[in-house]
Amino acid sequence: MNRSELISRILVYAGVVLVIGAPLVFWARTPLIHARMPEYGGWSPNIIHANVGEPLHLKLTSDDVVHGFAVGQMDMQSVDILPGKVTDITLKFDKPGIYTFYCTRWCGLNHWRMRGTIEVSGSPSDSEPASPPLYVSLNLDIDAPHDAPVVPAQKPSAIRGQGLIPNSPFLQSFDYYRSNSPYQAFLDLSNTSLTEPQRWDVVAFIWRSNTLSESLANGKQLYAQNCAACHGENGAGDGVFADDLTTAGESSMQTMEGAMDMIMQSPVDFTDPQRMLGASPALLQGKILRGGMGTGMPMWGSIFTEEQIWDLIAYIYSFQFEYQN
Amino acid sequence: MTKIELTRIPFIKNAFKSRYPQLAVFIVMLIGYIFAILAGLIGTPVGSHNFSIVFVWIAWWAILILVAVPFFGRGWCAICPIPLPGEWLQRGAILTPPDKRPKWLNLRVPKMFRNIWLQNISFLLLALFSSVLLTTPNITGIILAAMLFTAIGLGAIFERRAFCRYLCPVGGFIGLYSQAAPIELRIKDKQVCVTCEGKPCYNGSSIGFGCPWDVFPGGLTKNTYCGLCMECIRTCPHDNIAVNLRPFSADLAKPSTRMDEAFKAFIMLGSAIIYAGVLLGPWGTFKDAAYNVGSSAWFMYAGIFLSIIFGILPGFFTLGLLGTKGNATLKHRFASLSITLIPLGLMFWVAFSLSFVLTNASYILASLSDPLGLGWNLFGTANTAWQPMLTSILAPAQALALVGGLIWSARTAQKAANEVKVSPIPVIVYCFIATSIMLWLLL
Amino acid sequence: MNPRFSLLLILTAGLAVAFPPLPVPTVAPQARTFQVDAGQFAYSPSKIFVNPGDTVTLELVSTDVVHGIYIDGYDISFEADPGQTQTLTFIADKPGSFRFRCNVTCGAMHPFMIGKLMVGTNDWLYRSVGLAALAVLGVTISRKQEV
């Protein structure tokens, strides 16, 4: 073999080995967390281990559509995970425990199932005893029917109700608002001289006066990002996925541990006064925290902070009451 | 007809005669090709950000259809890396012309396959799956690898470049359209070839290999099957091979009478029209059908695709020909006049590709900086946002290409009709209708 | 007729078809609103017809994943998540036919998720077909005279 042939062969062999070897090495040394639509696998891996106090570096990429990443109950800005791009995130955990990370951009009917866990180990710091949520301490059966037998003829207005407020302090207390339904407040006002429409207006005012404006704004944003795709942008239960959820029905649930008696339901219509005026904030808290147990309503307990849930509830009542002119 | 012999320029001639420039390009292309396979298999599954999709279907395709084929004919084949490993194994050498003992089976390709029907079929197979192929990096990687290994396999069984000549889905249409290109490889003096002993250009010699494309240069009259590999320039003992610059569409003056080539013209024309409608049109149902391979909608799509190419397009063409009176048989007229569709089809592809390429060219910068989707930023362009280019001149450019193609094919029709002594009018009307449909789809 | 002359005639006719402005139909501009549903990989409606000068508002409703709209020629874009309808208002001051396409990677067929915005009549199409007809005529005539 002459010299030029030898050199050519060496060049070809070296080139081929290098072009196969080098990318494989880089690829193997860069562990990525892949995000896919839940139908195609969701997060992979979906369990991440971390240690208390040590920074956790993650590289995330999306394999199909736009996703987002956030850790539940943590004060963090969610970050977008874009198709074909890599997003670097550094997290730090102060307390051990199991955290839930979830997708924050809608990526299809099953978007809310796109969750994973971060298991943070370490010695527990002085943990404050967690108090049970309000619906638990009130011992509410959140699956029991709660329809209001009487509904107002027109939308109750907090503006109109403002001047009519009777001198009954318990009605205006924060605890009262959280643990009673609007219909209960309406009943409790029956021993006053107000007419029925006036009593509803007062109820609207009570609900408004227990709600901060920034809570409403925050709740509105949370609603748009997390609820509107099913419950509708105007709360009417007619979001873009509402029809899909209804038609998904039984077949969609067979994939979930064979729970055949629970089927996907149409999302609740928040503009329905019978249903909503009979529900107390505590009851709604339970529904949001626990979720619909197979109805298609996700469990939000591991995602939202308590504050966020109250904000959301405050906003949901605004579909029933007029807070402004 | 004036021709300029490029090989008269010493620089060009030496560049072709020496093996080293070509080898250098070969090595780069082969490495790039293998990298594209790897990127398709291990890179991000997102097509528009994967190196393999972006470099094969946007960058390479743009260069091929907008530059290489119209101006250099089979110029791509001259530097294509696909046949190389097979050829090197076949020859037992990369550079040195070997002893003449065949290394492998070295069989002759059976006569029934010595046409381009296999290429027509392989192109159609890819065309029917193109929506998946074009958007799924894995599939692109597998197809690229499959072509490489098929070429090796065929090289081990048959003599010369059987893959390129008879099977390559891309080679088929490059060959068809290369007839319109202004570059050709031809002999200088026929008499020299007639008296040449041993025909080393075809049989090989101690300084080079016999034509890998199984073509005797002395008989070359058109570009279709000459791969511009430059081997005959090296082997010709009489310096009788030239690479010429010539007028566009010189080969189209002598119509072919082969049905495989005639149908290739219909396949390419039909595919361009269908892609313009399915991929660039506003009809989501078609896109779903084309993408969901295996579904009943896809079978419908495949059925429509094939019936347009093998039924509707040649059908109306034949109907038009029935109206003409001539001595040639209908089959002869059909094959001869189908050459009209070559400039038309080429310009259809140019117009279609302009839209696709200009819209998506900005992906090239992003994937160049992060070819494996691992979050790199090699050249600082990884975060280049998607931005269609030149959208305001796109429509005029497409209109110009299509109307220009129509004029070109009308002239071709007149020449071809003259050869078989029939009226060119029906074919010109046919081309006009096809152009109008394409204009409607694209504008 | 001398072939040079007829070619000149055809060329002039070609220029006449390609360039002069057509009489613009006098339709008073109005405000129009379209709700455009976007799902993998199509828009509904996929064709939007407006008159030149209209103030067009697009309400983008994504029905599965995040989608967007980029309008060729106008070079404007916006995007919407499911459950968060977004609107874009613009004045359709450029006549012609424009593709609009998804500008947020939304799955495999994303590059081909396309709709059409038609502002007035599609002059380019008619002019091009006219040019094509003239070209065919020109080629035929000039050839006849050569023979």
Side-chain angles (χ1 to χ4, degrees), chain C residues 2-38:
Chain C
N2 154 339
R4 265 169 209 277
F5 180 69
S6 61
L7 265 185
L8 196 71
L9 210 65
I10 294 284
L11 201 69
T12 324
L15 290 174
V17 170
F19 290 110
L22 293 175
V24 182
T26 48
V27 184
Q30 46 179 247
R32 294 166 189 271
T33 302
F34 298 90
Q35 183 190 322
V36 181
D37 286 356

Side-chain angles (χ1 to χ4, degrees), chain B residues 17 21 33 65 91 102 141 154 161 183 209 211 228 255 264 268 275 288 360 366 369 377 390 423 432 437:
Chain B
K17 259 198 121 95
Y33 191 86
I65 208 72
R91 293 168 176 174
L154 289 183
R161 289 189 184 178
I183 291 280
F209 309 98
C211 178
L228 295 179
K264 181 94 229 168
M268 296 312 296
Y275 286 158
D288 278 350
N360 295 308
S369 272
N377 198 352
L390 305 173
S423 160
F432 171 71
I437 293 173

Side-chain angles (χ1 to χ4, degrees), chain A residues 234-313:
Chain A
N234 299 313
D238 59 353
V240 291
F241 293 118
D243 293 345
D244 295 337
L245 279 168
T246 315
T247 45
E250 202 165 316
S251 61
S252 68
M253 293 319 296
Q254 282 170 338
T255 57
M256 284 196 80
E257 299 141 20
M260 293 290 292
D261 52 331
M262 300 182 196
I263 58 168
M264 289 278 197
Q265 292 172 3
S266 309
V268 167
D269 175 1
F270 295 138
T271 60
D272 171 12
Q274 229 179 13
R275 185 153 197 160
M276 296 312 294
L277 295 179
S280 65
L283 182 84
L284 295 181
Q285 181 204 31
K287 297 222 177 214
I288 296 171
L289 267 176
R290 189 204 65 180
M293 304 287 277
T295 62
M297 170 71 186
M299 189 263 252
W300 293 99
S302 55
I303 307 281
F304 291 148
T305 61
E306 198 183 344
E307 210 47 47
Q308 286 175 316
I309 293 181
W310 289 125
D311 292 351
L312 203 44
I313 291 167

